[in-house]
Amino acid sequence: MPRGFSPPEHPGFPPTVSVGIVDQSRRTLAGCVLLSGALGTVHAWSLFLEPLEAGLASSRGGVSAVYSVALVAITGSVLVGHRLFARLPGRAVALLSTGIASVGLVIASGASSLAVLFVGYGLMFGMGNGLGYAFALQRSAEARSSTSGQAMALVTASYALGAAIAGVVLADPVHDLGAGRGLRMLAIAVVLMGAVASALVDGGRSPRSRDRSVPSPAPAFTGLLRLWVGYGLAVLAGLTALGHAATLVDEAGGPGDVAVTLANFASAAGGLLMVATLDRTGHRRLVVGLPLATAVLLTVGAAFSRTNAISLIVPAVALAYGAIIAVYPAVVRDRYGSDGYPAAYGRVFTAWGAAGLIGPLGTGLLFDAFGDYRLPLLLAAVAAVASALVARSERF
């Protein structure tokens, strides 16, 4: 290198500015991962199923409905939350979402009836959860625009990882001290993680708020409908498996609390797998192949639902689910761009809420009616095949 020569600076930015942007981007992504992990504990719900059934003298279907309502509340927040991100600083959104969620958990911890449980866990925890999850997905995509697919997959993986860690930490307290103690412990964890995430994320508002002259794009209805149907049918199986992981394995004589942990770790692994492969594998192969693999697993699970084989089937289904929920946000962002993504994904994500209502609740009701899980597993397998057929007809 000639004496006196110095490399050119990054075009458009002084070196210190460029490094500062990269550092803040990493801090924001770290905050989004922590926030998502704290809220992903919603998928540890099956730990509380049997204790709440006994404590409230309720049926499996009645208690399962609380989880379904929480998933619907999450969906509603994801659908409209992006409008709030343009008006509030990012740190305020992180605190608001975890604040609402933790208050809901505290209310649920003292529930003496299903109605109170619906309000605390179903509505409040669900609403705060969806707000924070949508914020984490959108802000992670903004922070790492050059690798947004991987960043968003990492956020979805951390959502599942939070549930897995909760399964390890809460299993003994819930078993020994009851569901109320477990819910209070979860509330404390959500508050603390929310505070740390708030300190890490970029404090600014969503970029859209800086230019109000730019209208929000209106996604085409037909394309959104196909994505909606394909996504909803694909995730129904995973939500059913996660919502009933403990009781599915308990019915076969296995360790239900371990099943929750394994299923959520597997779901996180599915998301992390997409972090590594998303840009090297065609989206169409993934949105067709993953539901087909899920259908095969569910069919085998239905045939061996009363044997130890179900202990392997549940985490395998969760692995595919974790990959599916990591792929679809990237598909939507690629199709509609960074400007159109928030509104488009909010609409597509309502399919997740519909699946969350139908899958866990329907499974609980069918279990009450027939005394086992074979029929709901077979119906979920049919839904997964239908998802693959819809996705096969779509262009990605």
Side-chain angles (χ1 to χ4, degrees):
M1 181 180 293
R3 181 174 298 177
F5 175 83
S6 59
E9 296 177 350
H10 188 282
F13 293 101
T16 55
V17 174
S18 179
V19 172
I21 291 172
V22 172
D23 287 346
Q24 182 56 60
S25 176
R26 289 173 178 169
R27 283 167 54 88
T28 294
L29 181 57
C32 291
V33 167
L34 287 174
L35 179 62
S36 180
L39 297 171
T41 52
V42 66
H43 286 316
W45 168 252
S46 61
L47 279 177
F48 302 103
L49 261 179
E50 291 180 333
L52 287 171
E53 280 183 58
L56 299 176
S58 180
S59 66
R60 180 70 50 84
V63 178
S64 298
V66 176
Y67 179 65
S68 292
V69 169
L71 300 188
V72 172
I74 290 172
T75 304
S77 290
V78 173
L79 178 62
V80 302
H82 66 91
R83 300 175 185 174
L84 186 64
F85 307 154
R87 294 173 173 83
L88 286 180
R91 289 168 185 161
V93 176
L95 289 175
L96 178 64
S97 64
T98 52
I100 295 172
S102 60
V103 170
L105 288 170
V106 171
I107 292 173
S109 71
S112 57
S113 68
L114 268 181
V116 175
L117 200 60
F118 273 113
V119 172
Y121 194 98
L123 292 178
M124 294 190 67
F125 183 50
M127 288 171 58
N129 200 301
L131 183 65
Y133 179 63
F135 171 76
L137 268 179
Q138 183 171 334
R139 191 54 63 92
S140 65
E142 294 168 359
R144 300 294 296 269
S145 58
S146 61
T147 55
S148 61
Q150 289 93 331
M152 296 163 80
L154 186 59
V155 167
T156 61
S158 68
Y159 198 74
L161 188 60
I165 294 172
V168 173
V169 174
L170 295 178
D172 287 340
V174 170
H175 182 268
D176 298 336
L177 304 172
R181 176 64 65 87
L183 290 168
R184 286 191 292 273
M185 291 175 62
L186 191 55
I188 293 170
V190 169
V191 165
L192 293 177
M193 295 291 279
V196 176
S198 174
L200 289 172
V201 298
D202 180 4
R205 296 182 177 90
S206 174
R208 187 176 298 281
S209 65
R210 297 168 194 158
D211 185 2
R212 300 190 181 188
S213 65
V214 179
S216 299
F221 174 77
T222 304
L224 274 179
L225 180 61
R226 291 197 189 100
L227 288 171
W228 191 93
V229 173
Y231 186 44
L233 292 173
V235 299
L236 187 145
L239 291 172
T240 297
L242 290 171
H244 288 266
T247 48
L248 271 163
V249 175
D250 277 340
E251 288 297 318
D257 53 348
V258 175
V260 175
T261 302
L262 288 178
N264 284 295
F265 272 122
S267 180
L272 292 174
L273 181 64
M274 292 301 99
V275 173
T277 64
L278 195 57
D279 283 350
R280 298 197 300 270
T281 306
H283 290 166
R284 190 167 184 268
R285 289 183 180 180
L286 293 170
V287 296
V288 172
L290 288 168
L292 286 178
T294 300
V296 172
L297 290 168
L298 287 167
T299 303
V300 174
F304 298 97
S305 62
R306 290 191 177 274
T307 71
N308 287 334
I310 199 69
S311 298
L312 300 176
I313 296 297
V314 169
V317 171
L319 177 75
Y321 168 80
I324 288 167
I325 64 170
V327 171
Y328 268 89
V331 169
V332 175
R333 191 182 188 281
D334 285 353
R335 169 161 294 187
Y336 296 103
S338 57
D339 288 340
Y341 163 80
Y345 184 66
R347 295 171 189 176
V348 171
F349 192 77
T350 59
W352 185 89
L357 178 63
I358 295 169
L361 174 58
T363 298
L365 294 174
L366 288 172
F367 178 87
D368 287 339
F370 296 98
D372 62 39
Y373 282 105
R374 284 178 293 182
L375 180 57
L377 290 176
L378 286 173
L379 291 175
V382 172
V385 171
S387 169
L389 292 174
V390 171
R392 189 173 182 274
S393 66
E394 183 67 1
R395 295 178 182 177
F396 295 105

